[in-house]
Structure formats: C-alpha cells, structure tokens
Amino acid sequence: MINNSEDNSEHDMTEADTKHARSHHKETSEDTETCIFSNYPHESFRVGTVQFLNAAPLVWNLQKIASQYNASMEVFRDLPSRLASDLLAGEYEVALIPVAEAARNPHLIQISDVCIASKGRVESIKLLSLVPIHKIHRLALDGASRSSAAMVQVYLKDYVKISPEFVALTPEDDLLRKDTGRLSAASVPDPANDQFMNTLVETLRRRNLDAVLVIGDSAMFISPHDSRIPFILDMGLCWTQWMGLPFTYASWFARPGVDTERLSLIFTQVQKNAEIQMDEIIRTEAAKRQLSADFCRDYLTQKIHYHLDREERHSMKIFIKMAQKNNIFPLGSSITFEVNRKKDKMSEI
C-alpha cells in the first residue's frame, strides 16, 4: 500500500505500456483524513484516468478528498482509447473518457462539471504533415486518441473540404510507438535528440503516409517551426478559429447503477482543490516529466481549462452532430450532461 496523504505518490506511477499492462495502485481510507460525510455508506470505486499532464490536476489528492465522502479509490492509468472500452466492460465504476466514446455510448452517465478542454492553442494535439494540408491523401491517426481523431476528421472534411484516407492505428501497432521508439503516449521524447524527428519523417515516407495526428505529452515537444515537418497544425487552435468555441476532449463518466451523486461531489472538489494547489502540482509534474515549470504552468493554467460550462457543452453538441453527418459517429450518439439531468429532475417536482 502506498500512502498518498503527504507526497501525492499516486502521481509518480509508471505509464501504461503498449501491451495493456496498466500500472496501478490501491489507496485506502486508512491513509487519509476523517470522513466528514459519514451518512454515506463506505464504498470503493475503481477509477480510470489518463497518464497525460493535462489530467494530473483531476486526480490530485483524489483519495484524501474521497475519504471525506467515506469512499476509497483504486486508480488506474491507461490510454484514452482503452479507458472507454474498459469502463464499458465493467473494469471501472468511473473513468475520464473521451467525449467521442461517451457520445457513441449514450447510456454512460456524465458526472460533475469537470472536463478537459481548450480554447485556442492547446500544444498537445498536433497534425504533422509532409505536404500542404489540402493535399493530404493518407493520414495516420494516433491509436491512443478518440476525440482528437474524430475532430481532425471533421475539420478536414467540413473545413478543408478534403476526404483523405484515415489510417486508424492501434496503440499496439502504431508507428508512433514502434518505429520511432520515442513518440508515444507513454514515453516523452527527448527534445534534444534530432534522430527522433528524423525517424518520424522517414517512417511517414516509408509507409506512404502524408501526415499523422499526435496527441498527449509527446506532441508538446514538437516545435511548430521544425523544418523537417513543413506543415504543423495545432488542432485546438484550428477548432477555435473555425468555430469560435472551445473543444472538450474528455470528462468523467460512470456506468449505470453507480453512486454518481457522491462521485460528482468528489471530482468537483478535487478540481477545486487543484486550483488552490496548482503551484505544487506544477512543481511535481515538471520534475517528473522533465519539463520546465514555466511550460507546465502555461499549459495547465492557460492552454487547458477544466470547467464544463455552457460554451463547452454547446461545442460538444455541435461536434457530435458534425461527426454524425460525416458518419464518424452513429446516429443516436449523444451525451446527457449532469446539469441537464438536474434540470429535468427539478421540472418534475
């Protein structure tokens, strides 16, 4: 058992590897403060989250806060694409999953007003192309991605007006992980290693690919001015310039039958607590990920935001409709937000 009440050691867990052997640890209420909501019966929850920097504030001191609601958490980290399928398979009670997967599974229950979103440049979602964007014929989609992969398809089809071949790579058989050996959701590339970008370019050419979508911490190390990749788009910026709206990548979703009221309170409080402790989060994550504190601060406080408000919900609805129109999502895809469920309950009173 790892005591997380003092050193936040849950944030030092190893990343999920490409063979789905997820690193995890279990925390119990023995490690944390006295429960202040003793009217709740004790319950344990399995929680799935991603290993990316942008999710760090959403699980900071999670167990300490959960214990105040008479709950304990077992935390797992994995790629976004796997979290959704594992939530559906019953491996978690709640997970931070891509909105694309949530929309495809409308029975999943969105909880809290917490999300991962950006409005403008995001840095961690980039389209890299060897040819002008309007001349892309074959584009590889990072196998770790779901929401970003769907967003880039919508953008290219409806805004750029092209319909390239989208090569859907799996996390296990992915040029970003096998051929480059560095560019992966689970390992951050060394920005000083010129071989990294050289290998990526060679791999794209060898596989007859014009472009690739890269997400996560790896994308943040790719300079927009790298001459080896002549065309680089920040997809968060592209979406906002096109729509004038933020883009929401993920939120907390639970399976039916789970105590969503308690989970909502916990995750909302975790996010509020993270705002207060952001300096500590930045110091810890910068050291762990070998990033500068200034970079982490800019990314976590300026590029990413965490409040699921009216604008974020509106953008998600537009995105889902456009994805349905382009046959990326099936008909019937939707998300019922917690705030709307509460309004429906109030109208019944």
Side-chain angles (χ1 to χ4, degrees):
M1 182 182 299
I2 299 175
N3 189 316
N4 189 52
S5 61
E6 295 296 332
D7 61 2
N8 285 293
S9 54
E10 79 173 54
H11 305 284
D12 295 322
M13 296 165 59
T14 58
E15 311 291 7
D17 66 19
T18 58
K19 294 182 180 180
H20 198 23
R22 297 168 307 183
S23 298
H24 71 277
H25 73 275
K26 186 175 182 179
E27 306 158 1
T28 71
S29 56
E30 296 173 350
D31 301 321
T32 54
E33 295 180 342
T34 304
C35 174
I36 59 175
F37 287 84
S38 57
N39 54 311
Y40 284 114
H42 182 267
E43 189 167 357
S44 297
F45 298 97
R46 294 165 298 171
V47 180
T49 185
V50 296
Q51 64 269 55
F52 300 143
L53 173 60
N54 55 27
L58 300 187
V59 290
W60 190 263
N61 279 335
L62 173 60
Q63 178 54 35
K64 182 177 182 179
I65 292 169
S67 68
Q68 298 172 5
Y69 294 84
N70 205 14
S72 58
M73 301 292 190
E74 188 175 6
V75 179
F76 298 82
R77 283 176 171 80
D78 208 338
L79 301 175
S81 53
R82 290 176 178 148
L83 288 173
S85 60
D86 287 349
L87 177 64
L88 291 166
E91 294 194 28
Y92 313 126
E93 279 69 52
V94 59
L96 185 69
I97 70 168
V99 296
E101 288 302 303
R104 293 184 178 108
N105 296 278
H107 63 284
L108 293 176
I109 304 168
Q110 192 276 322
I111 57 174
S112 81
D113 61 355
V114 175
C115 69
I116 295 177
S118 69
K119 189 173 185 180
R121 192 175 298 279
V122 68
E123 299 292 353
S124 53
I125 301 167
K126 290 175 180 171
L127 176 63
L128 316 181
S129 181
L130 301 177
V131 301
I133 302 303
H134 67 280
K135 292 185 177 180
I136 293 174
H137 293 292
R138 298 187 77 234
L139 187 152
L141 299 174
D142 191 325
S145 172
R146 286 295 182 266
S147 295
S148 301
M151 185 253 275
V152 76
Q153 291 179 71
V154 167
Y155 178 81
L156 292 177
K157 289 181 177 182
D158 282 5
Y159 182 75
V160 184
K161 305 298 183 184
I162 60 172
S163 296
E165 177 187 354
F166 295 103
V167 181
L169 304 172
T170 68
E172 293 80 9
D173 184 23
D174 188 334
L175 72 89
L176 303 183
R177 291 163 181 81
K178 285 191 173 182
D179 289 2
T180 69
R182 284 191 174 272
L183 188 57
S184 73
S187 63
V188 176
D190 179 0
N193 188 351
D194 285 341
Q195 186 60 35
F196 159 64
M197 289 302 291
N198 290 336
T199 304
L200 175 61
V201 172
E202 291 169 5
T203 301
L204 290 173
R205 288 174 174 158
R206 186 171 67 252
R207 295 199 178 189
N208 195 29
L209 292 163
D210 299 310
V212 60
L213 176 71
V214 183
I215 73 162
D217 293 3
S218 302
M220 297 191 293
F221 283 94
I222 300 171
S223 168
H225 309 296
D226 194 313
S227 61
R228 287 162 291 191
I229 302 286
F231 304 95
I232 300 179
L233 296 183
D234 183 302
M235 292 311 302
L237 179 61
C238 288
W239 178 267
T240 299
Q241 288 178 334
W242 180 26
M243 290 290 168
L245 292 167
F247 189 84
T248 304
Y249 305 97
S251 184
W252 291 111
F253 288 84
R255 293 186 289 108
V258 173
D259 186 351
T260 56
E261 179 182 0
R262 179 169 13 181
L263 287 171
S264 178
L265 292 170
I266 291 170
F267 288 120
T268 298
Q269 188 58 45
V270 167
Q271 193 272 324
K272 290 179 179 178
N273 176 73
E275 290 181 354
I276 297 170
Q277 296 190 320
M278 188 58 73
D279 287 345
E280 183 182 352
I281 295 172
I282 289 166
R283 285 194 300 270
T284 301
E285 294 299 320
K288 183 177 74 173
R289 298 170 191 271
Q290 299 180 334
L291 295 166
S292 74
D294 288 343
F295 182 91
C296 284
R297 183 177 303 280
D298 178 70
Y299 182 70
L300 292 176
T301 65
Q302 302 300 317
K303 299 297 191 295
I304 296 293
H305 65 267
Y306 297 100
H307 188 62
L308 182 62
D309 212 335
R310 179 176 298 179
E311 204 174 36
E312 287 75 21
R313 295 193 298 270
H314 179 56
S315 179
M316 267 199 278
K317 290 176 181 177
I318 291 174
F319 168 58
I320 291 169
K321 288 180 180 179
M322 297 176 78
Q324 286 178 308
K325 184 192 74 167
N326 285 288
N327 297 315
I328 301 166
F329 294 172
L331 293 177
S333 297
S334 66
I335 295 174
T336 301
F337 301 103
E338 180 180 86
V339 64
N340 293 335
R341 294 198 307 274
K342 289 179 177 179
K343 287 179 180 178
D344 291 341
K345 286 183 179 180
M346 290 297 294
S347 65
E348 294 173 0
I349 297 176

